[in-house]
Amino acid sequence: MAETLTILQPGISAVTDLGRRRASRVGQMTGGASDQYSAEVANALVASEPTAPLVELMALDFAMVPSTDILVAVTGAPAEVRVDGVRAAQWEPLVVPAGATLSVTRIRQGLRVYIAVHGVVHARSLMDSCAPDSVLGFSNHLAPGDTIEIDVDCPPIRHPHFDIPVFRLGADRPRFGDHWDVPVTDGPDIGDFGGTETRLFDTTFTVGVASNHIGLRLAPPDGHRLPERTAATEMLSRGVPIGAVEVPAGNELLVLHRGRGVTAGYPVLAVVTTIGLSLLGQARPGHTVRFTRTGIDNAVAAHRRRQSDIDAVRSRVHTVFTALGIPTHVGPGPLPRSALTLESA
């Protein structure tokens, strides 16, 4: 019989994963964790597959109780993480005894927090992913009293509440705050802006309240003008990537995120890199964003460095867990190339 996680306070939370990597080919949104880096590191810290289901929290307080001793990792935006009221660390494996309350409160300097569980998290799947899809009406959003079934195989580990941490594995934490420097590559329509594309890089934009997982709406300061398309040709609907920076009519930019549809008809000025997408996954309304221009080669190199950092965490976890007799559910080495595919430049 599977053990369970019982949700006491869901806030805004859902069981998700890295999304439907092949969904765009059949006209469906990709979805999945908005901050892919934090989600992938959380799974690495508990020796799970990168694509394993985990819990994504957004902004509000959360609490759950496991029916058995579990090993978890909490990553993402800074927050107060407590086990039965005792402060616990983020970005490291953490023991939660059976019946203890794991709470995450005061999420700040970002928007989303991720909780990965050592073992197997059971979740409904659609197209090989448990990520919610609002268009198809597929949801793994959590409510008070919900239970998540888990299979665990971790031996008991002493949790020294007032002693040194159980683990220190050195996962690299991104810089969190209220301003985000986001790298972008040139979009397919950048030549249509007649030199005004430089406004994208000379302006600090503010995240609007209508932003969500589908896209972020970014407004320039009063008196500042957006880049303007000068080409006279008609824009036709066509496929657009995750991270497309669109310039619709009005005075806001639209940056498509993981919940975006696969087609659009606005000019695409730039495309946010994979690293930039994780940063934007943490941007709250009221936060500011500055775009920095980079080349595709540099974007790919930065992505590979980031994946190498995650591989290093996975290798350290494998070494430590093996020494402690804790089963691992993914090997210590780099993932196959197919698992490291860039979604955008």
Side-chain angles (χ1 to χ4, degrees), residues 4-343:
T4 60
L5 308 173
T6 299
I7 307 304
L8 302 181
Q9 184 177 7
I12 302 174
S13 59
V15 179
T16 191
D17 52 27
L18 297 186
R20 298 172 179 85
R21 295 298 176 104
R22 298 179 181 271
S24 294
R25 301 182 183 185
V26 293
Q28 298 299 323
M29 74 178 194
T30 303
S34 292
D35 178 354
Q36 297 266 294
Y37 175 71
S38 293
E40 193 168 343
V41 171
N43 274 327
L45 287 169
V46 294
S48 291
E49 293 282 355
T51 56
L54 75 171
V55 179
E56 180 182 64
L57 321 180
M58 188 172 72
L60 302 183
D61 295 350
F62 174 89
M64 70 179 188
V65 174
S67 63
T68 187
D69 293 357
I70 58 172
L71 189 65
V72 303
V74 183
T75 63
E80 285 192 7
V81 180
R82 295 180 182 270
V83 178
D84 269 354
V86 178
R87 288 290 295 269
Q90 288 182 260
W91 297 85
E92 299 289 359
L94 164 67
V95 175
V96 182
T101 298
L102 172 65
S103 64
V104 180
T105 61
R106 294 192 63 236
I107 298 173
R108 58 197 182 273
Q109 297 182 328
L111 188 59
R112 292 176 170 90
V113 167
Y114 296 87
I115 304 175
V117 181
H118 178 273
V120 177
V121 176
H122 295 281
R124 295 184 306 137
S125 179
L126 175 68
M127 294 177 62
D128 298 323
S129 170
C130 69
D133 187 318
S134 56
V135 175
L136 296 178
F138 179 79
S139 175
N140 281 319
H141 286 91
L142 299 171
D146 280 356
T147 57
I148 302 171
E149 289 191 355
I150 56 173
D151 292 329
V152 297
D153 54 4
C154 182
I157 300 173
R158 175 176 171 265
H159 186 345
H161 287 299
F162 302 104
D163 199 352
I164 61 173
V166 179
F167 303 102
R168 277 186 177 156
L169 293 168
D172 184 26
R173 307 185 189 199
R175 187 197 69 81
F176 291 90
D178 58 8
H179 175 79
W180 306 90
D181 290 314
V182 176
V184 298
T185 59
D186 289 350
D189 304 317
I190 193 168
D192 292 352
F193 284 83
T196 67
E197 71 276 358
T198 57
R199 298 174 189 170
L200 181 68
F201 311 107
D202 297 339
T203 305
T204 298
F205 298 88
T206 300
V207 180
V209 295
S211 300
N212 55 27
H213 68 292
I214 296 173
L216 286 82
R217 295 185 178 274
L218 304 178
D222 291 342
H224 286 243
R225 300 173 65 187
L226 291 179
E228 298 176 31
R229 184 173 183 265
T230 58
T233 55
E234 182 180 358
M235 290 296 305
L236 300 177
S237 292
R238 71 283 175 72
V240 290
I242 300 171
V245 180
E246 296 186 325
V247 187
N251 199 39
E252 286 184 323
L253 293 176
L254 180 60
V255 182
L256 302 183
H257 215 279
R258 303 195 61 78
R260 63 74 168 102
V262 297
T263 61
Y266 295 125
V268 177
L269 175 58
V271 180
V272 178
T273 68
T274 51
I275 288 178
L277 282 168
S278 286
L279 297 176
L280 286 179
Q282 293 290 354
R284 287 174 174 258
H287 282 187
T288 56
V289 172
R290 189 95 175 186
F291 293 105
T292 59
R293 199 171 189 174
T294 189
I296 291 177
D297 288 346
N298 288 336
V300 170
H303 173 78
R304 289 175 174 168
R305 286 193 298 271
R306 173 63 58 85
Q307 291 300 141
S308 179
D309 291 342
I310 297 173
D311 289 340
V313 171
R314 188 179 294 112
S315 180
R316 291 194 293 273
V317 169
H318 188 273
T319 299
V320 171
F321 280 23
T322 300
L324 294 175
I326 301 172
T328 59
H329 303 119
V330 65
L335 294 174
R337 293 291 303 173
S338 59
L340 305 180
T341 302
L342 278 160
E343 295 163 319

